Amino acid sequence: MKVQWHLPDHSISETDVPDIEQLLFILRLVGEVTLKGQPYQVDSSKLIVDEDKLSVAVTLSLVSSPS
């Protein structure tokens, strides 16, 4: 299944994932993702239904620095 990573700069990076259930489970456990060396926090995920194709959109934000 295709995953769309929605980045804070409004760009979208796509990857294919063989087991979306496992990915979503892991995202709930860890809450952070590193893409191209940049850490992001997982804000939300949603299912996208486009005619007969399904994909998942994961919205990311920059990880805030501890105060």
Side-chain angles (χ1 to χ4, degrees):
M1 180 176 280
K2 190 168 296 294
V3 177
Q4 298 176 354
W5 303 97
H6 292 253
L7 303 171
D9 66 359
H10 304 290
S11 65
I12 298 173
S13 179
E14 291 188 344
T15 55
D16 287 315
V17 176
D19 188 343
I20 195 68
E21 185 176 346
Q22 184 177 16
L23 173 69
L24 292 173
F25 174 74
I26 291 169
L27 288 177
R28 283 191 301 270
L29 288 177
V30 297
E32 283 189 21
V33 174
T34 300
L35 293 174
K36 299 178 184 174
Q38 176 69 45
Y40 297 98
Q41 178 178 327
V42 177
D43 285 343
S44 64
S45 60
K46 65 181 175 182
L47 179 65
I48 299 172
V49 180
D50 186 17
E51 295 184 19
D52 60 347
K53 292 187 272 180
L54 298 176
S55 61
V56 170
V58 179
T59 303
L60 304 173
S61 62
L62 293 173
V63 174
S64 56
S65 303
S67 304

